[in-house]
Amino acid sequence: MICAECRELLDAYIDGELPAADAAAVREHIASCAECAREHAALAATSRRIGETLVKYQAPDVLKARIRVALAQPDPLASTAPSGGATSVTTRRLAFGGLGIAIASSILTFAVVRGVAPGRSPTDEIVSSHIRALMPGHLTDVASTNQHNVKPWFNGRVDLSPPVPNLDSIGFTLIGGRLDYVQERAVPVIVYARRQHMIDVYVRPSVGDRKESNGEMTSSARNGYNVIAWQSNGMSLEAVSDLNRPELEQFVKAFNASR
Amino acid sequence: MTPSPNDIDRFERIVLPHLDDAYTLARYLLRDPHEAQDAVQDAALRALRYFETYREGDARAWLLAIVRNCCLTRHKRARAERANISFVDDVDVVYEGRATDARAVEQSERAHLQRALDGLPPEFREVIVLREIQGLSYREISDVVGVPIGTVMSRLARGRRRLASALGYDAQQAG
């Protein structure tokens, strides 16, 4: 075998893709040719370092949940529209599809949260609740893109009237509301969508006298979800989403401004 | 055509186990976690739409081919929308104040390799990712990318030699 031939086969040799006879010929040539041996060593080391250093990623749970949500729809392909443009149609379908089992699911949620060990922070509970809500059929109890349908739905179900601003004009589509159970009390949740990302806003009465912190945002992250908490008019609000932080902040500012 | 519950069941069994691979490819092609998620979701639904074209065989390569197409579509659209802004993602580069030396070295090594990989033309980068990170055979890569095995081999050879010199190994640049 001549060097030029050997060089051409080196990659396939390293990758174990050569027929046995060719592999043997390459091996033999490398053993007697320092130049080709050096080339082989460099390529093999490169290959090994890439494989060892660069990671294989795991699909985030929320992505798997989103795909299962889509597949659980009566007609999944009707919502195949890629993100952007048709988002509101996509998410509305998604919300309506979930309506059937939603009531049962809030009872389930109740049971699950009851079992949680004491001492878990409200934010942990809220993130867990958000993830659960992304599972098929859990997203909304009342599915509507109309704020005037969503807001009254909470009347008589909770002891505060959550703000439900319409933010469609800046690309956050209202898709509905749901009743969740956090820290041993029923909590209204307003659900928005941005592209294919879901945003849950949890609304609870403020604890103690915290009027002074009106409008101040506190950001944190858990399990890949961004959480922004703030106070407003005697309410304590938290927005949870896998949306990136700048866009979630933009959402919170707009949510506050348009009330 | 609306898929039957049977189709969906089969789809979940055959295709969904490969979501990690799908996401990995999308992450390296798009270099943005959110874009990658959206691309994989698009791909999953597109895969369901064309599930009848799937024949018994390599479900992973079949799904990855669809993911690759969704990534290309997104990449083109993003480029058209933000003409000159490259969307290199810095979310993954986590700088921790008190990282141990070993950890710091490992991180800088990864960042260095990642930059070298990102610097490759896309047609080289994708074969490197499919081969070195995801471990596909030449045959499978040829199916995913839609080019003959000979082309896979020459792209892989050129991509690898560029990376070798970026890493400081003494390898000759292939033509």
Side-chain angles (χ1 to χ4, degrees):
Chain A
M1 177 176 275
I2 58 167
C3 291
E5 264 180 283
C6 176
R7 298 291 166 95
E8 245 174 48
L9 296 178
L10 269 181
D11 290 275
Y13 175 70
I14 289 167
D15 291 325
E17 294 260 359
L18 281 186
D22 289 341
V26 170
R27 200 174 305 120
E28 202 173 300
H29 178 84
I30 291 175
S32 62
C33 170
E35 278 286 295
C36 287
R38 189 158 58 234
E39 182 84 357
H40 170 256
L43 293 176
T46 303
S47 170
R48 201 168 49 241
R49 264 175 79 183
I50 300 167
E52 285 170 0
T53 313
L54 294 179
V55 293
K56 267 185 87 160
Y57 291 97
Q58 286 190 332
D61 286 345
V62 67
L63 171 61
K64 293 178 185 167
R66 275 162 50 185
I67 290 171
R68 295 218 165 82
V69 166
L71 293 181
Q73 300 314 299
D75 183 2
L77 296 183
S79 57
T80 312
S83 58
T87 305
S88 63
V89 178
T90 310
T91 48
R92 207 175 301 141
R93 286 200 145 269
L94 195 143
F96 276 123
L99 196 56
I101 26 181
I103 310 291
S105 87
S106 27
I107 296 166
L108 184 72
T109 305
F110 181 92
V112 170
V113 177
R114 273 292 186 180
V116 164
R120 244 179 119 205
S121 83
T123 307
D124 286 337
E125 269 192 36
I126 281 174
V127 171
S128 302
S129 146
H130 173 71
I131 296 171
R132 258 197 317 278
L134 292 165
M135 303 299 166
H138 291 226
L139 202 56
T140 54
D141 294 332
V142 51
S144 172
T145 55
N146 184 339
Q147 63 197 116
H148 304 297
N149 293 336
V150 175
K151 200 172 164 70
W153 184 84
F154 288 108
N155 285 344
R157 289 185 166 88
V158 284
D159 52 5
L160 53 71
S161 176
V164 186
N166 182 341
L167 305 172
D168 218 14
S169 61
I170 54 162
F172 296 100
T173 310
L174 176 67
I175 66 171
R178 112 178 149 259
L179 209 51
D180 221 314
Y181 201 80
V182 178
Q183 298 271 296
E184 316 228 324
R185 59 174 295 143
V187 174
V189 183
I190 322 297
V191 187
Y192 291 83
R194 167 78 149 193
R195 298 190 302 273
Q196 314 229 350
H197 306 283
M198 297 298 153
I199 305 170
D200 277 350
V201 181
Y202 293 75
V203 186
R204 297 182 290 156
S206 284
V207 187
D209 182 21
R210 295 173 65 178
K211 287 195 189 72
E212 77 285 354
S213 53
N214 245 2
E216 197 179 294
M217 297 194 283
T218 317
S219 301
S220 57
R222 318 257 159 142
N223 309 331
Y225 295 90
N226 284 312
V227 182
I228 297 181
W230 74 102
Q231 309 280 325
S232 174
N233 295 328
M235 284 179 267
S236 169
L237 299 98
E238 275 156 293
V240 186
S241 180
D242 65 334
L243 192 63
N244 61 65
R245 170 144 318 158
E247 283 187 85
L248 191 58
E249 280 172 2
Q250 186 201 344
F251 168 80
V252 169
K253 282 181 188 140
F255 189 96
N256 263 337
S258 62
R259 303 183 41 214
Chain B
M1 182 216 73
T2 305
S4 71
N6 260 347
D7 291 337
I8 292 186
D9 188 53
R10 210 174 134 244
F11 180 80
E12 288 187 352
R13 267 185 300 111
I14 293 175
V15 177
L16 293 196
H18 303 295
L19 282 186
D20 287 349
D21 280 302
Y23 182 67
T24 297
L25 180 62
R27 276 297 296 265
Y28 281 103
L29 294 187
L30 294 171
R31 294 174 282 179
D32 177 278
H34 298 282
E35 286 284 326
Q37 281 198 34
D38 288 352
V40 171
Q41 177 159 5
D42 288 351
L45 290 178
R46 210 186 280 186
L48 179 63
R49 181 182 292 276
Y50 298 112
F51 195 39
E52 59 191 298
T53 70
Y54 167 74
R55 305 273 169 259
E56 295 301 315
D58 191 341
R60 178 170 72 153
W62 182 77
L63 177 64
L64 289 180
I66 297 172
V67 170
R68 176 181 175 271
N69 282 330
C70 287
C71 289
L72 289 184
T73 309
R74 276 179 177 274
H75 195 68
K76 275 185 207 136
R77 198 166 59 204
R79 214 166 34 193
E81 277 170 10
R82 318 178 245 183
N84 292 318
I85 306 164
S86 75
F87 56 119
V88 174
D89 153 49
D90 56 1
V91 174
D92 283 333
V93 186
V94 182
Y95 293 103
E96 290 181 357
R98 293 178 198 177
T100 61
D101 281 358
R103 182 112 189 248
V105 167
E106 188 192 308
Q107 279 190 357
S108 84
E109 155 112 12
R110 182 176 309 143
H112 179 60
L113 252 180
Q114 184 75 55
R115 268 196 305 277
L117 182 65
D118 288 349
L120 290 181
E123 67 269 26
F124 295 169
R125 192 166 76 224
E126 64 185 3
V127 295
I128 293 280
V129 170
L130 289 167
R131 172 65 222 164
E132 308 285 26
I133 299 170
Q134 310 205 259
L136 268 64
S137 70
Y138 288 3
R139 170 84 261 163
E140 291 170 318
I141 297 173
S142 140
D143 287 345
V144 171
V145 179
V147 297
I149 287 185
T151 309
V152 171
M153 289 174 71
S154 69
R155 287 182 186 174
L156 190 58
R158 293 172 67 183
R160 217 178 238 158
R161 276 162 185 76
R162 288 199 190 198
L163 287 177
S165 36
L167 292 173
Y169 291 119
D170 176 23
Q172 295 190 355
Q173 291 281 337

